[in-house]
Amino acid sequence: TPHLSQSFLQYTCTETIEGWDCVVDGERQTVVAEKGFKFDKMPQLLSVHLRRFAYDTQRDTKDKINAPIEIPETMDLSELVDSGIENKCEFELFSVMIHSGTAHGGHYWCYAKNEDGVWHSFNDAVVSELEGHELAQLLCSKLSEEASTSSSSTNAYMMEYRRAGLATVTLDELEAMIPSELREEIRAEDAEYLELTEAWEVSQRVVEVHVKTSEGAAKDLLLMESCTMLQALTQVQQALEGEQCQAYKQAPLNCLRLRKWDFHRNCAGEPFDDEKARLEELNFGREVTLVLERRSVDAEFEVFKPNEFVVHCLEWDNSAWSAEPKRVSTVVVPGEKDATVADLRSQVEQAYRADGEEEGEAEGEGGADGEEGFSRGQVLLILSTSERLHMLVDYQDEDGYN
């Protein structure tokens, strides 16, 4: 692996020129000359930039040079300086800039050493301490033979050195070196960054809540995930607007409760009776839809039955040959977890018959066409469960629909 010091020597090496025409002691002569240069003096801070990018004239494209190079932590450049001006030019490395990618784009970050000699990685917003083996790999000082000949696209392209023994500059002294216009720009950017960071942190603690009522009212609001269900209920009540929400706004808090909207069953689901529970404990995520429920002072809230099925039943009379169903009804069945399909059908049948009897009594007919139950080929039941399962039960006509 080539050493960085070799690059300096090659940069300042002399070049022999044959047949150089010049004037020596007042006479024009053709001589063999050596062309080169040395530095008059070195700066306090030395920036070394590697030419990692080149243009390939044969292929008409830009290329990145990924060849590894060994970067010394200390470097003596005294032999490159005119000895009559400066005798000692020792430098120590304190920062390395990295590029990962190609000549057409990539990612930049840097490594820097603090006052205690500890190296850190500064990669966007992530700052981490560098381990010993990572530093050795960064400086290419302990690469295997295979690694030293590899062409990884992640490599150093710029190094920062400072004079050995250079007095440490305080932050106040460093800030004083920065032009006042630039200092103001930095302060403005810092303030904007802090504002954006605080806004982002707040957004990660906010839940977007969509509230609906049985009367069709809806309201969207933002709640902190740290608030309790009682606080959430209070804020929801205060946020409601419109004539149809007056009953909710005037109701005592103990006559209101929030329930999670069940998108599978398309109805109100689990109620939140624990007023001390926090939104973050209920795993709502960043967004949730809730139902605001109201009861009268002398009534009780409906008991939540998580296994209930809401079943939409449609009945056709094949003899009528009509596309319109003879009867449409919605019934609720217990839907116990260990129930079989036969149990479910029996429960649906009982609920459907009871619903029909109620309709018949209301019409003074004493029942739904005197039906005792279902007969094959007469009734189509569409069962819509919480898992969005649709079943067609006991129906087969001559066209093969089932």
Side-chain angles (χ1 to χ4, degrees):
T1 303
H3 198 279
L4 181 62
S5 60
Q6 296 173 354
S7 299
F8 274 99
L9 292 174
Q10 185 175 357
Y11 187 73
T12 59
C13 68
T14 59
E15 176 186 357
T16 302
I17 303 176
E18 300 283 350
W20 179 260
D21 190 12
C22 62
V23 177
V24 180
D25 297 330
E27 295 182 6
R28 180 173 294 278
Q29 300 180 20
T30 301
V31 298
V32 177
E34 287 187 346
K35 176 185 175 183
F37 69 89
K38 285 193 174 183
F39 297 101
D40 285 340
K41 61 179 180 178
M42 287 290 184
Q44 300 295 309
L45 299 177
L46 177 64
S47 297
V48 181
H49 191 288
L50 300 179
R51 194 174 66 179
R52 286 284 186 188
F53 304 100
Y55 179 73
D56 189 332
T57 57
Q58 298 295 323
R59 296 186 295 120
D60 189 26
T61 183
K62 291 186 295 183
D63 289 331
K64 182 182 176 185
I65 303 171
N66 291 309
I69 185 170
E70 187 172 339
I71 303 168
E73 288 196 71
T74 60
M75 187 165 51
D76 188 354
L77 301 179
S78 301
E79 60 182 299
L80 305 181
V81 181
D82 190 335
S83 59
I85 300 176
E86 268 190 308
N87 294 321
K88 189 175 182 181
C89 289
E90 294 180 355
F91 288 87
E92 60 178 359
L93 181 70
F94 70 91
S95 179
V96 180
M97 270 63 79
I98 304 295
H99 176 265
S100 178
T102 68
H104 302 281
H107 179 59
Y108 295 87
W109 73 96
C110 85
Y111 298 99
K113 182 171 65 173
N114 64 11
E115 297 178 359
D116 299 324
V118 180
W119 283 83
H120 289 79
S121 168
F122 296 84
N123 193 343
D124 291 340
V126 180
V127 179
S128 58
E129 186 174 331
L130 215 60
E131 300 291 338
H133 69 280
E134 292 177 307
L135 177 61
Q137 185 175 3
L138 165 68
L139 303 179
C140 295
S141 58
K142 291 185 179 179
L143 288 179
S144 64
E145 183 177 349
E146 179 182 353
S148 65
T149 57
S150 67
S151 57
S152 169
S153 64
T154 300
N155 32 52
Y157 81 97
M158 190 170 181
M159 287 71 67
E160 296 290 339
Y161 285 87
R162 62 188 167 207
R163 290 273 189 154
L166 185 65
T168 304
V169 181
T170 65
L171 289 177
D172 292 336
E173 292 173 335
L174 183 61
E175 186 172 352
M177 300 178 189
I178 303 173
S180 58
E181 299 83 359
L182 187 55
R183 287 202 300 270
E184 292 301 321
E185 186 176 344
I186 292 173
R187 290 193 185 99
E189 290 182 356
D190 287 346
E192 182 182 3
Y193 173 77
L194 290 175
E195 185 178 346
L196 292 174
T197 300
E198 291 174 1
W200 181 84
E201 290 176 349
V202 169
S203 71
Q204 299 305 298
R205 301 194 299 269
V206 168
V207 180
E208 184 177 357
V209 180
H210 309 285
V211 182
K212 59 173 68 176
T213 68
S214 57
E215 286 79 6
K219 184 67 179 179
D220 297 339
L221 65 159
L222 300 176
L223 299 177
M224 298 299 294
E225 62 179 9
S226 59
C227 75
T228 63
M229 286 307 299
L230 179 59
Q231 293 171 332
L233 183 61
T234 303
Q235 294 185 48
V236 167
Q237 185 186 36
Q238 295 172 350
L240 291 176
E241 301 171 344
E243 189 67 29
Q244 56 185 343
C245 296
Q246 289 303 311
Y248 289 91
K249 293 187 71 69
Q250 296 171 3
L253 275 180
N254 61 356
C255 291
L256 300 175
R257 77 170 177 179
L258 290 169
R259 299 176 66 175
K260 192 169 184 179
W261 179 255
D262 190 332
F263 285 96
H264 293 298
R265 301 173 63 192
N266 199 33
C267 63
E270 177 187 3
F272 302 106
D273 297 320
D274 185 0
E275 296 180 343
K276 296 182 179 180
R278 299 184 181 277
L279 300 188
E280 58 188 344
E281 299 171 354
L282 300 173
N283 299 320
F284 285 161
R286 301 269 71 84
E287 186 177 4
V288 66
T289 299
L290 301 177
V291 178
L292 181 61
E293 203 172 42
R294 178 176 60 87
R295 66 173 176 86
S296 58
V297 178
D298 55 350
E300 297 291 335
F301 282 117
E302 173 189 359
V303 178
F304 175 61
K305 299 175 182 177
N307 296 323
E308 275 188 347
F309 282 89
V310 177
V311 184
H312 305 287
C313 306
L314 296 89
E315 177 183 342
W316 277 273
D317 185 353
N318 285 353
S319 62
W321 292 101
S322 172
E324 295 297 324
K326 176 182 177 182
R327 175 178 159 202
V328 177
S329 181
T330 299
V331 298
V332 179
V333 295
E336 298 299 334
K337 287 185 176 181
D338 56 350
T340 63
V341 174
D343 295 333
L344 177 60
R345 188 191 186 288
S346 176
Q347 292 171 353
V348 171
E349 182 178 354
Q350 293 173 13
Y352 187 70
R353 183 189 299 114
D355 184 67
E357 290 173 354
E358 290 177 3
E359 291 180 3
E361 291 173 3
E363 298 172 1
E365 298 177 359
D369 296 336
E371 292 178 359
E372 295 296 330
F374 296 108
S375 59
R376 178 178 289 276
Q378 181 182 11
V379 178
L380 167 64
L381 293 181
I382 301 179
L383 309 184
S384 192
T385 73
S386 60
E387 287 78 20
R388 288 290 184 185
L389 174 64
H390 295 77
M391 296 184 291
L392 309 183
V393 179
D394 281 350
Y395 180 73
Q396 177 93 37
D397 66 10
E398 59 186 7
D399 293 324
Y401 297 111
N402 55 56

